[in-house]
Amino acid sequence: MARLAESGANPDVDLLYDINGLAKDAPGWFDRVMEFVGEYGLLIAMVLLILWCWWSVRRRGGEDAAPSVAALVWAPLAAGLAVLVNVPIRGFVRRPRPFVDHEGLDVLVSGKTDFSFVSDHATITMALGVGLFVANRRFGLAGIGLALLEGFCRVYMGVHYPTDVVGGFALGTAVVLLLSPAATALLTPLMRAVERSRRAGRLVRRRPPAGERTDAVLPGTRTSVASEERDLAA
């Protein structure tokens, strides 16, 4: 396979060597940074991004608060489900890690003994990114960008082929989008029930502080016809 890569007959392996070759030319400190970012950092960043989006949705309030929070809840659930779907896929394909079949790779993470296809990290981050996009496009685009960076890091670290990453992206996206209608139908009423709760409702929509007017119109809400008529009469 390595010979195929050198002759350019296998684009997957060829691209693996090209991207992983950047690690050989980089200083040691940069490789250590990429190791942490690719193994843990981007996953942490994705969780923080989801929490930031939740905080923004909660503060904004409005009629779309419950559906948006429901979509945010679905994102990690979909990521976990996608990883479970990947278990039989890995067992069926049984693709060894790239460093098992190919020499000369600069492997930044040791101890990877499981199969390579598809990448769990790519699957999780893309599922979170696409799930975030369903809830909020602006945050979702940032999440998808983090997922793409995660995929690059996995190849850079020498632990996955590019097609492992692409397969993970496809799996994570498919699970989120295909099951999103059913998940939304189940989670949105649940979030609306939580929103009506006196204590747990704060998880969905911010309660106005004492002294703040509660009849203010929130984004996405409409004033009643009676109030509009009073305004016109005035």
Side-chain angles (χ1 to χ4, degrees):
M1 296 292 285
R3 293 177 181 176
L4 290 176
E6 294 174 359
S7 64
N10 191 326
D12 191 24
V13 182
D14 198 15
L15 187 58
L16 166 67
Y17 274 98
D18 288 341
I19 296 177
N20 181 254
L22 299 174
K24 294 183 178 181
D25 300 330
W29 65 266
F30 185 79
D31 283 350
R32 289 191 293 272
V33 170
M34 290 293 286
E35 176 186 350
F36 175 79
V37 169
E39 194 73 5
Y40 308 106
L42 288 171
L43 292 175
I44 296 173
M46 190 70 76
V47 172
L48 294 177
L49 187 64
I50 290 176
L51 291 176
W52 185 9
C53 182
W54 164 75
W55 185 258
S56 176
V57 169
R58 175 183 172 273
R59 285 182 60 84
R60 187 177 66 246
E63 294 180 351
D64 62 339
S68 296
V69 173
L72 290 174
V73 172
W74 167 235
L77 293 177
L81 181 59
V83 171
L84 292 178
V85 173
N86 189 28
V87 173
I89 294 177
R90 279 194 168 190
F92 177 76
V93 177
R94 300 178 66 87
R95 187 184 202 181
R97 294 279 181 170
F99 52 79
V100 174
D101 292 336
H102 306 287
E103 299 179 355
L105 293 175
D106 190 3
V107 183
L108 303 185
V109 180
S110 60
K112 299 291 183 180
T113 58
D114 54 345
F115 295 117
S116 185
F117 187 88
V118 297
S119 167
D120 278 338
H121 280 73
T123 301
I124 293 172
T125 52
M126 186 55 75
L128 292 175
V130 174
L132 194 55
F133 185 82
V134 173
N136 185 286
R137 291 186 178 182
R138 179 167 59 92
F139 283 94
L141 289 175
I144 292 174
L146 291 178
L148 295 174
L149 181 58
E150 178 67 69
F152 175 83
C153 288
R154 303 309 289 177
V155 181
Y156 180 96
M157 295 159 61
V159 294
H160 280 292
Y161 295 94
T163 48
D164 297 337
V165 169
V166 174
F169 289 164
L171 177 60
T173 301
V175 170
V176 172
L177 296 184
L178 290 178
L179 299 180
S180 181
T184 300
L186 292 173
L187 292 174
T188 299
L190 177 61
M191 291 302 106
R192 292 197 186 279
V194 172
E195 185 180 15
R196 292 191 295 268
S197 173
R198 190 168 188 177
R199 295 182 179 179
R202 299 174 183 271
L203 296 173
V204 177
R205 184 188 296 191
R206 178 183 68 92
R207 300 300 189 201
E212 182 177 320
R213 290 183 59 185
T214 58
D215 59 345
V217 179
L218 295 172
T221 60
R222 300 180 58 185
T223 57
S224 65
V225 175
S227 63
E228 291 177 356
E229 292 178 348
R230 286 196 299 270
D231 293 340
L232 291 175

